[in-house]
Amino acid sequence: MNAKTLGLALAAGTAAFLLVGVAVTEFAQPWVEFSLLLGIPAGVAAGAFAAAGVYLGLAGEAPARRQRVAGAFGGFGAVFLFALVALAGLFRVGITLALGVAFAVGLAAGVGAYLRGPAGTEPGSAAGPR
């Protein structure tokens, strides 16, 4: 376990908690009076699964494809949180706009992290395992 793996897992878990918690809360709001009581447990479960998946996916003996996917989720989480804090906290942009922009920037970072990840033994790939 190193600090990078732990940090990416924590960032991915926090981002998943925020996104799923807000989505479930807003979706259930028309039907459930205290929809936050549904959103928080859903966010906690999603965050725990995301953090565990990233942590296990970035383990040293994990296959290259799993490391690429875990790195993409971790990169998304880290950049999403940074952009959200910067937009909502520093620049005082509205939270809806900040969430949308942070999601788009995080998605681009996740795709970039996936493309730059370790080469695997995918079908048609000339690169072998490292």
Side-chain angles (χ1 to χ4, degrees), residues 50-97:
V54 169
Y55 182 75
L56 294 175
L58 292 177
E61 55 277 341
R65 181 177 291 183
R66 188 176 303 156
Q67 287 181 359
R68 288 176 73 156
V69 171
F73 275 110
F76 166 81
V79 172
F80 170 80
L81 290 177
F82 178 78
L84 183 63
V85 168
L87 290 170
L90 298 176
F91 296 115
R92 303 284 186 214
V93 176
I95 192 66
T96 305
L97 179 62

Side-chain angles (χ1 to χ4, degrees), residues 10 20 40 45 52 67 70 128:
L10 184 63
V20 171
I40 289 176
Q67 287 181 359

Side-chain angles (χ1 to χ4, degrees), residues 26-66:
E26 289 300 315
F27 178 75
Q29 190 174 15
W31 301 285
V32 179
E33 186 169 344
F34 299 107
S35 59
L36 186 62
L37 295 177
L38 295 176
I40 289 176
V44 167
F49 284 124
V54 169
Y55 182 75
L56 294 175
L58 292 177
E61 55 277 341
R65 181 177 291 183
R66 188 176 303 156

